[in-house]
Amino acid sequence: KNQVEQSPQSLIILEGKNCTLQCNYTVSPFSNLRWYKQDTGRGPVSLTIMTFSENTKSNGRYTATLDADTKQSSLHITASQLSDSASYICVVSVKRAGANNLFFGTGTRLTVIP
Amino acid sequence: EPEVTQTPSHQVTQMGQEVILRCVPISNHLYFYWYRQILGQKVEFLVSFYNNEISEKSEIFDDQFSVERPDGSNFTLKIRSTKLEDSAMYFCASSGVQGAAGELFFGEGSRLTVL
């Protein structure tokens, strides 16, 4: 069964600290893995897209890693800012014909406090 | 930067009423989608639309739902007779490429509250 699991469910950190969010998936056949940031009441915004051959990808203070063998990904946030408070959603694409090929995780709710 | 825009941002309606949610996808995109997110739950696929017809739909997308691209820019989701369980955020998305390779751009969402 194609599933995407994220942990932790929620996280509170102090401003300036680093944190790492985890994503495990059982999606097959794998196409790519995406991390989205979703501010409360807003639409998801893409942070990174990683294909099978990419182990790490950075976007500013966000660094995503992918281990396709263990089917795990992480999103590392460096020097957190108050504006990083949001839900971070891991989305895995499967290689198949058609449009409904994205599997969404439930997200990690990050709160950055001063 | 081009973006997907949605209206209304929030709609409150009585159970049984019809609702139309509107979306303007990114102008050169060809693939359009509706997703929904019930509060506290994951984003769920509803329907995809390409070349003026539905290309795929989920089990959620029953006869109460319909989509339309009435002109060259708008993409609408209609719920004919709303139920309490239709209360959710509805996200429109568009991409220039179909399927797994395509980066998906989401709108800000329309919050539907059914009373």
Side-chain angles (χ1 to χ4, degrees):
Chain A
K1 185 179 178 183
N2 290 316
Q3 282 189 318
V4 178
E5 303 288 341
Q6 291 186 246
S7 62
Q9 203 168 28
S10 62
L11 183 61
I12 300 174
I13 61 172
L14 290 173
E15 185 180 10
K17 296 296 186 183
N18 304 335
C19 67
T20 300
L21 314 179
Q22 300 290 343
C23 174
N24 297 329
Y25 61 93
T26 58
V27 174
S28 181
F30 176 86
S31 177
N32 59 54
L33 184 145
R34 314 160 186 224
W35 282 96
Y36 284 89
K37 178 185 179 187
Q38 185 179 23
D39 291 315
T40 301
R42 311 289 291 272
V45 175
S46 179
L47 295 175
T48 64
I49 298 179
M50 301 179 71
T51 59
F52 186 89
S53 58
E54 294 175 299
N55 299 120
T56 185
K57 202 163 195 177
S58 291
N59 177 2
R61 294 179 296 102
Y62 301 102
T63 299
T65 65
L66 174 65
D67 185 334
D69 292 329
T70 61
K71 298 188 177 181
Q72 296 179 325
S73 175
S74 66
L75 181 69
H76 186 76
I77 303 175
T78 304
S80 60
Q81 299 175 359
L82 298 179
S83 58
D84 292 331
S85 294
S87 286
Y88 291 84
I89 304 173
C90 176
V91 183
V92 183
S93 298
V94 63
K95 276 182 189 171
R96 63 175 281 270
N100 183 20
N101 49 22
L102 300 183
F103 292 86
F104 288 77
T106 52
T108 291
R109 177 72 206 170
L110 175 66
T111 303
V112 181
I113 58 176
Chain B
E1 186 174 329
E3 58 182 18
V4 177
T5 57
Q6 291 186 240
T7 54
S9 56
H10 189 190
Q11 181 153 358
V12 181
T13 189
Q14 294 288 328
M15 190 170 57
Q17 295 297 304
E18 176 182 283
V19 160
I20 297 177
L21 306 179
R22 291 182 170 79
C23 168
V24 179
I26 293 174
S27 62
N28 62 346
H29 283 182
L30 300 175
Y31 302 91
F32 314 118
Y33 310 84
W34 283 102
Y35 290 85
R36 81 171 185 191
Q37 186 177 31
I38 295 171
L39 187 63
Q41 298 186 23
K42 65 177 69 175
V43 175
E44 301 172 290
F45 170 79
L46 290 178
V47 66
S48 61
F49 194 86
Y50 169 72
N51 201 24
N52 284 320
E53 61 182 21
I54 291 174
S55 50
E56 193 164 351
K57 60 184 180 180
S58 71
E59 293 175 351
I60 303 168
F61 195 87
D62 60 23
D63 293 342
Q64 293 300 312
F65 291 89
S66 64
V67 289
E68 198 176 39
R69 190 157 159 83
D71 53 44
S73 59
N74 290 288
F75 178 50
T76 62
L77 174 69
K78 181 193 289 186
I79 309 175
R80 287 189 185 83
S81 178
T82 50
K83 304 186 286 288
L84 295 176
E85 54 265 36
D86 293 328
S87 294
M89 275 294 267
Y90 288 81
F91 293 106
C92 175
S94 71
S95 68
V97 178
Q98 187 193 22
E103 180 162 6
L104 217 51
F105 294 84
F106 287 87
E108 294 292 337
S110 293
R111 178 171 297 284
L112 175 64
T113 302
V114 182
L115 303 176

